Amino acid sequence: MELISIEDVQAAADDIAGTVVRTPLLPAPWDDELWLKPESLQPVGSFKLRGATHAVARLDPAAQSRGVVTHSSGNHGQALAYAARAFGVRCSVVVPEGAPQVKVDQIRALGAEVRFVPRARRLPEAERIAADTGATLVPPFDDRRIIAGQGTIGLEIVADLPDVDVVLVPVGGGGLSSGVATAVKALRPSATVVGVEPLLAADAQESLAAGELVVWDVERTYRTSADGLRTNLSELTLAHLRERLDGIITVTEEEIAATMGRLAREARLVVEPSGAVAVAARLFHADALPSGRTAAVLTGGNVDPAVLASVLTAPAP
């Protein structure tokens, strides 16, 4: 299976310039060796805008005229809707029942059509729409263009912190971690790239240990509050992670909640549960990580207000 290259990531950086925000690398107030990459500051509140913009930019005019479709619990759907609007392209988003309402509302506000389906039907329904309308299916992670677009985060981390020693990156479907690992390993070979996922959705850790794709059903992965990390890897992302990721650790729901509260109180950054897992790894599992200058990717900030209110009162770690 052909993996993406650093040249693919650099080409993506050119495609997304002007649409995607180049987010800063901020020092953590409580840790002199930790920097935060707040993708929550993107116009749609998450890193997903990078891959979606790159994917839409690569469509030829005929394909753009037929529109795009995807399936998403929220963040990728928002990102594709935003990118499609920027290019004047029609967009449909298939959303699993139970997705956070704040994300669904934002998808609609960006002009996309939303279709609700049971959790297990999201991909089949998106494929049906693509077959019926001729729209291009833009997957959330299982796509070389998406992986390359997400990898631009790695380019920016190394540019802003050239002597970075450790990069912590959340793992859901694996598109982000595949792209970031590709960029960081190419530009800073001595750096260690570690994936982080919820203990209640640890299929990626199990897949890497087994050396083959291990799929958890939705009843298992939907136990975690980190809704953006409930998706299993694909064969494409697993191939990237086996080659380029140095390891993967898990964090608990309690650790995620406490980290969200600390980020809000001390770093003035609002993050959703999925966006907090990388920092949670540093806060609660530093003994399992290499020492040195560490960058943690905060993937998104589209959190339900009630959830945010609850974590602000959680005990500080």
Side-chain angles (χ1 to χ4, degrees), residues 158 161-166 188 293:
V158 176
L161 190 65
D163 54 355
V164 63
D165 297 308
V166 183
R188 174 74 170 164
R293 295 165 295 273

Side-chain angles (χ1 to χ4, degrees), residues 86-99:
F87 285 86
V89 174
R90 289 179 291 105
C91 179
S92 297
V93 181
V94 178
V95 176
E97 295 168 350

Side-chain angles (χ1 to χ4, degrees), residues 12 62 91 135 141 154 173 184 187 191 193 195 197 224 228 238 244 249 299:
C91 179
F141 59 88
V184 172
L187 300 175
V193 183
E197 65 182 344
T224 180
L238 176 60
R244 295 169 180 169
I249 63 174
T299 52

Side-chain angles (χ1 to χ4, degrees), residues 73-75 99-100 103 222 224-231 272-274 302:
S73 64
N75 281 343
K103 297 182 179 182
Y222 268 68
T224 180
S225 61
D227 60 282
L229 304 179
R230 293 168 176 165
T231 309
E272 60 193 274
S274 303
N302 295 317

Side-chain angles (χ1 to χ4, degrees), residues 279-290:
V279 176
R282 174 77 175 190
L283 285 174
F284 294 97
H285 302 277
D287 57 343
L289 298 169

Side-chain angles (χ1 to χ4, degrees), residues 94-98 115-123 125-126:
V94 178
V95 176
E97 295 168 350
R115 300 194 187 187
F116 288 99
V117 295
R119 298 168 185 171
R121 288 289 307 164
R122 47 192 281 180
L123 176 57
E125 178 64 11

